[in-house]
Amino acid sequence: MTQAEDFSAVGRQRVRTIWISDVHLGTRDCQAEKLADFLNGYECDQLYLVGDIIDGWRLRKSMYWPQSHTNVIRRLLTLSKRGTRVTYVTGNHDEFLRRYATFNIGNILLVDEAVHQTADGRKLLVIHGDQFDVITRCHRWLAFLGDHAYEFSLRLNRWLNYWRSRWGYGYWSLSGYLKHRVKKAVNFISEFEQALAHECRKRDLQGVVCGHIHHAEIREVNGISYHNCGDWVESCTALIEHWDGTITQYQWSEADPSPAVNPVTQSVPEVA
């Protein structure tokens, strides 16, 4: 059995690195139970929280914090206590933490960005990505408007999937469909990826790990390895680095939710 296949005595799979982003704790659409289940199935040397883990925008409007959200925080603290290095990379929804950048307590480091070196020697920029979103950076009122539109689509999505389940159909993502079908949304994602790839080339880095757009992806963009964590609102995805340096995409599954026995799937890179 190789090191990458090692399981602890409690049945957790041990990997080198895990990245998660866009959890949005403090919102009703956060899939906290699924995230806690995922985290309970793994141990890792390094854990990156790639922004928008806590949704400060929503919490400013109304307080929503069920026990399941506390359970996620408790699991993150437990991982830190047991030796996992936790790096919290701030995002735009938890931008209130940016004033405390470079804050370090125990095994938890708070930063605006980081550089991760994989086991095979590649250097990856780890950043939430809102800094490369023209709307978020230059037109904050549009960003807030877009956030309200996304929240509305999630509410509509809950209603649609309630009736789909009643009629025996599986989960279907309205916002995911729009991202793949609406031309402007597709163009926005492409421009976002290109901007991050350009930044990596400027810094002589081989790749990037980001979040922000809630669109999980592993692919090559102009010679740069682009990795997007996705989110824990709809897609419930994460990125995992194994002991040989390969990075794969994990997606939580209703059919087999236990990650210790549900191996991650390899995403096939696409050449832009």
Side-chain angles (χ1 to χ4, degrees):
M1 179 176 287
T2 66
Q3 187 179 22
E5 296 169 331
D6 282 348
F7 286 82
S8 67
V10 293
R12 295 190 178 104
Q13 185 176 352
R14 185 162 190 86
V15 296
R16 190 169 188 263
T17 312
I18 293 176
W19 292 268
I20 60 173
S21 75
D22 297 274
V23 179
H24 292 274
L25 293 170
T27 68
R28 296 183 184 278
D29 293 292
C30 168
Q31 303 287 338
E33 297 90 347
K34 296 176 183 178
L35 177 56
D37 180 75
F38 166 68
L39 292 172
N40 281 330
Y42 282 94
E43 294 178 353
C44 58
D45 287 354
Q46 176 79 59
L47 172 64
Y48 287 96
L49 309 175
V50 193
D52 287 4
I53 305 303
I54 299 171
D55 197 318
W57 289 12
R58 197 74 74 245
L59 288 173
R60 279 200 300 265
K61 296 193 299 182
S62 61
M63 188 65 192
Y64 177 78
W65 196 274
Q67 181 62 43
S68 59
H69 294 205
T70 299
N71 293 343
V72 169
I73 299 296
R74 289 178 63 183
R75 178 58 184 156
L76 294 174
L77 293 175
T78 297
L79 285 168
S80 172
K81 182 180 178 181
R82 292 178 178 173
T84 296
R85 299 185 305 277
V86 179
T87 302
Y88 192 131
V89 179
T90 57
N92 54 310
H93 281 255
D94 46 23
E95 63 186 352
F96 64 93
L97 294 173
R98 284 180 171 164
R99 70 187 71 175
Y100 308 110
T102 70
F103 179 74
N104 192 0
I105 178 168
N107 274 337
I108 302 176
L109 176 64
L110 182 68
V111 296
D112 291 337
E113 62 179 60
V115 174
H116 173 80
Q117 184 162 338
T118 62
D120 55 6
R122 292 174 296 141
K123 290 184 178 180
L124 309 178
L125 175 64
V126 183
I127 191 168
H128 181 62
D130 60 289
Q131 302 91 330
F132 298 88
D133 177 352
V134 175
I135 293 175
T136 300
R137 190 174 70 247
C138 303
H139 305 285
R140 286 182 60 85
W141 67 273
L142 277 176
F144 282 106
L145 183 62
D147 184 60
H148 285 297
Y150 181 61
E151 183 181 6
F152 174 76
S153 74
L154 290 175
R155 289 179 180 177
L156 184 59
N157 209 50
R158 287 199 298 267
W159 181 83
L160 287 172
N161 280 288
Y162 168 77
W163 287 106
R164 283 177 63 85
S165 65
R166 291 286 298 269
W167 295 333
Y169 293 98
Y171 178 84
W172 179 76
S173 172
L174 172 63
S175 65
Y177 173 82
L178 293 174
K179 285 177 186 177
H180 286 88
R181 296 294 181 181
V182 178
K183 184 176 180 180
K184 286 187 178 180
V186 173
N187 289 343
F188 169 78
I189 292 173
S190 177
E191 290 170 4
F192 177 80
E193 294 170 349
Q194 295 285 344
L196 281 164
H198 178 70
E199 183 67 18
C200 288
R201 286 196 299 274
K202 280 173 51 180
R203 302 193 193 188
D204 197 25
L205 300 173
Q206 288 73 55
V208 61
V209 178
C210 62
H212 186 55
I213 60 174
H214 294 212
H215 182 71
E217 187 81 270
I218 299 178
R219 72 188 195 100
E220 293 292 314
V221 179
N222 296 337
I224 297 296
S225 297
Y226 172 88
H227 312 80
N228 194 298
C229 304
D231 67 274
W232 287 87
V233 175
E234 293 183 276
S235 61
C236 297
T237 52
L239 297 172
I240 296 175
E241 180 194 1
H242 302 280
W243 296 103
D244 61 356
T246 60
I247 298 175
T248 56
Q249 180 183 308
Y250 169 89
Q251 183 165 24
W252 194 92
S253 169
E254 289 281 359
D256 191 0
S258 175
V261 295
N262 180 26
V264 298
T265 56
Q266 176 74 51
S267 294
V268 180
E270 302 173 4
V271 179

